[in-house]
């Protein structure tokens, strides 16, 4: 897929250009006005720039956003790209047209708690799940979204459109999943607001609260919130300041031993890939417990092994060429998400 120039097509200062590698000062001002604060990391901003270029969505026309949500383990806002289901549809239709593929849908289905699927939802109570099937060039990609996994809550009750149109919102989440399966390269790394709304309802208060005594002896006192569930060091900042990948590699191991979340480790790994090093770039699959392990040694990544096994099973002899053509990187340079997506494509769509 060709990279497009997005933003102001006439060459304005906000236009995101194919060869651009950094946000310009003018673009950064507008991005910060959208709610991005000083807590955002360079890796998050760089990843967002790459995603805007790859998807062709314009962050300055509110087609795609970088949303920050507080993460207790990392003790900071973690920023992730987000768009609407309409943005997903635009990307899918455009990608299908460029590839000369047909794109269609089967009827949306909803399921009650009894396990019976229906082609229309008439009940006043929310469905248990919704199923959407996307058909790309004759191949079916089906996905099921469970209402309980995505519903956005406020005070333990469905909020916003989740309270008014639960069947529609659940179907949108299923459609997002199906489209991402059908267009893994075009939609990888970006999620819809319908999918991510639940993250807001479950986000904890970033300020630890002191447990209050309970007078009723029959009720147990609440356990105090731990003061820190994430490393006290700012490993991301250390990685940004590191002069080479070897230094980042050690930071990665320290963060892993300190109990950092996998998403946090992947951010460190992404920074490490941009640093100069005599050895191969580190990956988020690096075993943290072995102090002598060298990232990228001859032991092949389990995700790569599964991918190659899947390719062999379907007789795909040109796996490396097809992977590079689809993702723009070689298999050793790919992220875990890209490896899993390609494996999923080769093993076939979800059965109906």
């Amino acid at each position: 897929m060709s990279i497009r120039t997005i933003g102001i097509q006439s060459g304005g200062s906000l236009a995101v250009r194919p060869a651009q590698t950094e946000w310009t000062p003018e673009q950064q001002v507008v991005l910060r006005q959208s709610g991005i604060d000083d807590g955002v990391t360079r890796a998050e901003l760089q990843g967002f720039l790459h995603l805007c270029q790859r998807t062709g969505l314009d962050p300055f026309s509110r087609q795609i956003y970088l949303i920050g949500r507080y993460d207790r383990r990392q003790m900071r806002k973690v920023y992730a790209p987000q768009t609407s289901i309409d943005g997903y549809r635009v990307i899918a239709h455009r990608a299908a047209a460029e590839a000369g593929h047909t794109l269609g849908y089967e009827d949306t289905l909803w399921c009650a708690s009894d396990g019976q699927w229906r082609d229309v939802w008439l009940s006043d109570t929310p469905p248990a799940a919704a199923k959407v099937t996307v058909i790309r060039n004759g191949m079916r990609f089906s996905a099921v979204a469970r209402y309980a996994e995505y519903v956005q809550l406020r005070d333990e009750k469905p909020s916003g459109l989740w309270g008014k149109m639960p069947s529609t919102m659940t179907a949108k989440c299923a459609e997002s999943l199906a489209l991402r399966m059908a267009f893994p390269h075009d939609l990888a790394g970006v999620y819809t607001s319908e999918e991510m709304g639940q993250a807001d309802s479950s986000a904890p208060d970033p300020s630890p609260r002191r447990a209050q005594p309970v007078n009723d002896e029959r009720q147990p006192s609440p356990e105090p919130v731990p003061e820190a569930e994430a490393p006290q060091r700012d490993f991301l900042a250390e990685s940004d300041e590191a002069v080479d990948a070897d230094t980042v590699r050690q930071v990665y191991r320290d963060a892993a031993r300190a109990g950092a979340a996998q998403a946090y480790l992947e951010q460190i790994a992404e920074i490490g890939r941009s640093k100069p090093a005599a050895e191969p770039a580190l990956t988020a699959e690096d075993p943290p417990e072995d102090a002598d392990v060298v990232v990228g040694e001859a032991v092949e990544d389990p995700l790569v092994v599964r991918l190659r096994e899947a390719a062999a099973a379907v007789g795909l002899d040109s796996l490396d060429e097809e992977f590079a053509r689809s993702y723009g990187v070689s298999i050793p340079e790919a992220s875990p998400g890209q490896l899993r997506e390609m494996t999923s494509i080769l093993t076939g769509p979800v059965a109906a």
Side-chain angles (χ1 to χ4, degrees):
M1 180 176 124
S2 60
I3 297 179
R4 310 165 187 81
T5 299
I6 60 178
I8 302 175
Q9 298 297 323
S10 61
S13 61
L14 294 183
V16 179
R17 307 182 186 283
Q20 183 174 339
T21 59
E22 300 280 350
W23 292 104
T24 67
E26 293 86 352
Q27 291 170 339
Q28 292 185 41
V29 169
V30 178
L31 286 174
R32 294 192 180 280
Q33 289 176 346
S34 69
I36 299 175
D37 59 29
D38 292 336
V40 67
T41 67
R42 182 176 182 275
E44 290 168 337
L45 284 173
Q46 293 300 97
F48 187 51
L49 172 60
H50 172 69
L51 190 64
C52 292
Q53 292 170 320
R54 181 163 58 81
T55 61
L57 294 180
D58 184 4
F60 307 111
S61 296
R62 306 183 69 82
Q63 294 178 351
I64 189 170
Y65 311 84
L66 193 60
I67 303 296
R69 291 182 173 87
Y70 189 83
D71 187 296
R72 284 184 66 183
R73 289 192 60 83
Q74 300 186 37
M75 297 184 69
R76 71 173 186 90
K77 278 185 181 180
V78 174
Y79 284 84
Q82 182 175 304
T83 185
S84 67
I85 187 63
D86 291 332
Y88 254 39
R89 292 166 181 163
V90 167
I91 296 172
H93 280 274
R94 188 170 56 204
E98 290 181 354
H101 291 173
T102 58
L103 174 62
Y105 291 80
E106 292 183 357
D107 291 340
T108 300
L109 299 176
W110 288 268
C111 182
S113 56
D114 59 7
Q116 298 298 312
W117 290 97
R118 299 164 173 81
D119 58 6
V120 63
W121 190 256
L122 299 176
S123 174
D124 292 332
T125 60
K131 178 180 179 180
V132 170
T133 299
V134 171
I135 305 174
R136 178 180 183 179
N137 219 35
M139 293 187 63
R140 299 173 69 256
F141 297 86
S142 298
V144 174
R146 293 181 59 237
Y147 169 83
E149 293 179 348
Y150 291 99
V151 60
Q152 184 174 358
L153 302 176
R154 285 291 181 273
D155 299 325
E156 305 300 324
K157 295 180 181 180
S159 65
L161 294 178
W162 282 100
K164 298 177 181 178
M165 300 187 299
S167 61
T168 299
M169 298 299 288
T170 308
K172 285 183 177 182
C173 292
E175 183 180 355
S176 300
L177 294 171
L179 285 172
R180 199 156 51 243
M181 292 173 59
F183 298 88
H185 173 61
D186 303 277
L187 296 174
V190 60
Y191 294 86
T192 64
S193 53
E194 290 80 11
E195 293 177 283
M196 296 302 295
Q198 197 273 346
D200 290 323
S201 64
S202 60
D205 185 345
S207 301
R209 292 189 290 265
R210 187 182 302 277
Q212 299 297 322
V214 178
N215 295 328
D216 189 346
E217 294 181 355
R218 295 171 298 175
Q219 300 180 8
S221 299
E223 295 182 0
V225 177
E227 292 186 0
E229 294 187 18
Q232 295 298 310
R233 289 166 53 188
D234 189 345
F235 294 107
L236 284 175
E238 292 183 27
S239 301
D240 274 328
E241 296 170 359
V243 296
D244 55 40
D246 292 339
T247 305
V248 179
R249 185 174 291 106
Q250 185 57 53
V251 174
Y252 178 96
R253 291 193 178 105
D254 291 345
R257 293 190 180 98
Q262 184 64 23
Y264 189 79
L265 295 176
E266 290 178 357
Q267 291 182 52
I268 298 175
E270 184 64 28
I271 296 173
R273 297 187 186 100
S274 67
K275 302 288 184 178
E279 299 171 354
L282 86 142
T283 71
E285 300 296 324
D286 184 31
E289 296 302 326
D290 185 356
D292 296 324
V293 72
V294 177
V295 178
E297 279 185 331
V299 178
E300 194 164 21
D301 189 318
L303 293 176
V304 175
V305 173
R306 286 196 289 272
L307 173 59
R308 296 197 182 280
E309 289 174 348
V314 298
L316 179 60
D317 297 328
S318 57
L319 172 63
D320 293 86
E321 292 81 359
E322 292 295 334
F323 192 97
R325 186 179 301 113
S326 298
Y327 292 94
V329 295
S330 66
I331 290 178
E333 298 172 330
S335 69
Q338 291 171 331
L339 295 172
R340 293 189 185 97
E341 286 167 358
M342 190 65 169
T343 302
S344 176
I345 292 173
L346 294 176
T347 54
V350 177

